[in-house]
Amino acid sequence: MTKDVIALTPTMPDVWALMASLYAGGSDLDLSAAADGAVVQLHGPGGRPLVSVESPLLVRVPGEAERLLGQSAEAPYWWTEARASTAVPEAEKLAGVVCGRLNALLGGTTWPAGAASTEAVDVSAVPSAGAGQPAVDVVTENAAVVLIDRPVVALTSWLAEIMRTAVASRRSLQIVTPPEVRLSAPARTTLARVPNRWVVRDPECGYYDGLSGAVLRWQDGAFSPALSEDGAATVAAAFTRRAEETPGRRLIVAMRTAHRPDEGLLLGGALETAWETLTGSAPAGWGTAEPVNLPWSPRQLTDLARERMPEPSQLIVVGRPERPAIATLRVTRTTKGVEEDMVLTVGYAQGEEPPLDRVRALAEELVTKHSLRTMLTSVQTAPADLATAPRLEGPPLPAAFTLGPDDVHTIGRDHARRPPLDQPPTALGPTTRPALHYPLGDGEDPTSWERLQRLTNHLRSPAGGRSGS
């Protein structure tokens, strides 16, 4: 497994502190910069990469170290990550010394506990063969394979960069972990995209896909499903085994808004409104990767999205530690304006009830103030900490769907308000151009999927026309 060691320090590691830490391996080490100065690599004899050290990141959002590492740290703090090559045993010790020396100079703590050291590491005997980056463990014609062993695989900046490189080279990104490792919500979204894969080691079957459960084998330079003679995939027993922890529930709200390209447009308002309605407080922080490091600011978020246009912006938003909540936000410039696609997930422990009674009022506010196009609200039985374990999870069950006024007008109001459902929709917003809110269930009834399917089929039916609009 690739060994990650992270120093959490109360003050910024300056140039002198970094240099004192980086030369922990003595005079046989060479340094080189990569990724526009964002990474410093330590090379052993013959130029073999041993450790990559990410640029220190100032984290001003509470709860990120606890969420991703299971280790407390009082914000603000500096997060400095060292990643060791798996090919050289000395590399892991070197990464620990890099972070340990930063702690000795600046204070703070190191994750994992016990990894920090200040003793020099002898790298003189390191074989000279080898090239590439310590961040990627195996590269083949078909895949970039990264071995990770940390409590939660997060969508860090280095992992996002590896993914971009893999896409550009037409390779799949395959992350290999032990069975106790979990995925953060953004990392899960990334690995759920074809052809990426989460590969879980298992003593019974060898390897299996952490999201589908399919038993995997190393074939043609990549992990792929081990098919039977009839072409069927086998599901690992560990994937279907009942979890020991008591499951909580998750409220999942997927929203889309569309705005005119106005100079005064401020993004993030719909997400902030949903957050406050469902959790009682505003988001705590936002960023482009994990750990999320910036305090919540719709103005700064808007400025970043505007700078990146016409390219889309993919952002991560987190809540306060007392109420687990995380969202992904994608901002896209279209021919008609600016769209925001958001998925907000809020966690509730056993015995807590997701506030479904607030959803209709939320939908109305989003319609009247934030140009809502659609909103789907679902409830899933799953751990409240919002991380994904490599086990079978039940699907989210739809509870309500809201169709914005523009789409109601396009479909035809008379048709849209007469779906084949037991409960009629509720009109929201102006009576002259209303949105429609469709109740689908209580978040526990599996037949709500059938209702949602009947509703979507009805709304897509050509019988909609423009009559009554």
Side-chain angles (χ1 to χ4, degrees):
M1 289 289 138
T2 301
K3 297 300 182 180
D4 306 338
V5 185
I6 301 169
L8 307 175
T9 59
T11 57
M12 179 181 179
D14 58 20
V15 174
W16 298 112
L18 285 171
M19 291 299 290
S21 302
L22 293 172
Y23 278 109
S27 58
D28 288 314
L29 280 181
D30 292 325
L31 305 183
S32 67
D36 299 325
V39 177
V40 174
Q41 292 188 13
L42 282 69
H43 298 263
R48 181 167 196 145
L50 301 178
V51 175
S52 65
V53 182
E54 299 286 326
S55 292
L57 178 70
L58 177 59
V59 179
R60 294 185 285 167
V61 179
E64 284 299 272
E66 291 89 337
R67 181 174 72 89
L68 300 177
L69 302 176
Q71 181 167 312
S72 61
E74 185 177 352
Y77 54 86
W78 290 87
W79 177 301
T80 306
E81 188 159 335
R83 309 202 72 244
S85 169
T86 55
V88 182
E90 291 82 359
E92 180 184 350
K93 298 178 184 178
L94 185 57
V97 173
V98 168
C99 292
R101 289 190 174 188
L102 286 178
N103 288 143
L105 291 168
L106 306 173
T109 59
T110 293
W111 178 91
S117 175
T118 57
E119 298 179 2
V121 179
D122 182 10
V123 299
S124 60
V126 172
S128 60
Q133 297 185 20
V136 180
D137 295 280
V138 178
V139 179
T140 71
E141 184 178 347
N142 297 318
V145 181
V146 181
L147 312 179
I148 299 179
D149 186 1
R150 55 202 296 176
V152 176
V153 175
L155 188 61
T156 57
S157 57
W158 63 261
L159 186 58
E161 180 61 30
I162 292 171
M163 183 186 70
R164 285 190 288 268
T165 302
V167 170
S169 61
R170 297 186 178 182
R171 292 180 172 90
S172 65
L173 171 60
Q174 300 194 337
I175 292 180
V176 182
T177 74
E180 64 272 12
V181 171
R182 298 168 298 150
L183 302 183
S184 72
R188 186 194 190 285
T189 299
T190 297
L191 291 176
R193 298 171 185 159
V194 176
N196 298 334
R197 192 180 295 280
W198 179 18
V199 182
V200 180
R201 295 194 306 172
D202 180 62
E204 296 178 10
C205 68
Y207 300 92
Y208 69 91
D209 189 299
L211 298 180
S212 71
V215 175
L216 303 175
R217 295 287 182 269
W218 182 257
Q219 306 172 82
D220 300 323
F223 286 99
S224 56
L227 304 179
S228 62
E229 293 183 0
D230 59 359
T234 302
V235 176
F239 183 74
T240 58
R241 196 169 290 137
R242 184 179 296 275
E244 294 181 1
E245 71 269 13
T246 302
R249 292 209 284 174
R250 300 174 184 177
L251 181 62
I252 304 170
V253 183
M255 302 166 280
R256 171 175 291 182
T257 62
H259 312 276
R260 295 178 181 178
D262 188 282
E263 277 296 322
L265 175 62
L266 194 65
L267 299 172
L271 184 58
E272 183 176 71
T273 296
W275 217 292
E276 291 175 340
T277 300
L278 299 175
T279 73
S281 62
W286 73 285
T288 57
E290 295 177 285
V292 172
N293 66 314
L294 299 172
W296 175 246
S297 171
R299 170 49 59 194
Q300 292 180 1
L301 184 154
T302 302
D303 291 344
L304 175 68
R306 182 173 283 117
E307 290 173 5
R308 290 185 169 185
M309 287 181 181
E311 294 299 316
S313 293
Q314 188 75 36
L315 308 172
I316 303 168
V317 185
V318 296
R320 304 184 185 281
E322 56 268 21
R323 172 57 68 195
I326 192 167
T328 56
L329 168 61
R330 181 178 176 84
V331 180
T332 309
R333 180 66 186 267
T334 68
T335 56
K336 295 182 180 180
V338 179
E339 290 189 356
E340 296 176 281
D341 286 282
M342 300 151 279
V343 180
L344 167 61
T345 306
V346 186
Y348 300 89
Q350 187 182 37
E352 293 185 306
E353 289 296 326
L356 291 175
D357 56 335
R358 304 178 198 169
V359 170
R360 191 174 106 176
L362 169 62
E364 182 146 30
E365 186 168 3
L366 295 179
V367 165
T368 56
K369 297 181 180 179
H370 298 286
S371 304
L372 182 71
R373 291 287 304 273
T374 61
M375 183 173 85
L376 176 63
T377 303
S378 306
V379 177
Q380 181 184 25
T381 298
D385 65 3
L386 309 183
T388 297
R391 288 190 294 271
L392 180 65
E393 292 182 343
L397 299 177
F401 178 74
T402 305
L403 188 66
D406 289 345
D407 291 294
V408 170
H409 177 77
T410 300
I411 291 171
R413 191 191 314 173
D414 287 345
H415 181 73
R417 68 185 181 186
R418 292 187 174 89
L421 302 175
D422 295 336
Q423 290 182 270
T426 302
L428 305 177
T431 56
T432 56
R433 196 177 177 88
L436 292 175
H437 181 74
Y438 303 87
L440 297 172
D442 59 3
E444 298 182 1
D445 182 3
T447 61
S448 60
W449 274 113
E450 298 176 10
R451 298 188 194 98
L452 179 60
Q453 186 64 53
R454 291 202 303 269
L455 173 61
T456 54
N457 289 341
H458 176 78
L459 296 177
R460 292 171 180 167
S461 167
R466 294 291 300 273
S467 63
S469 62

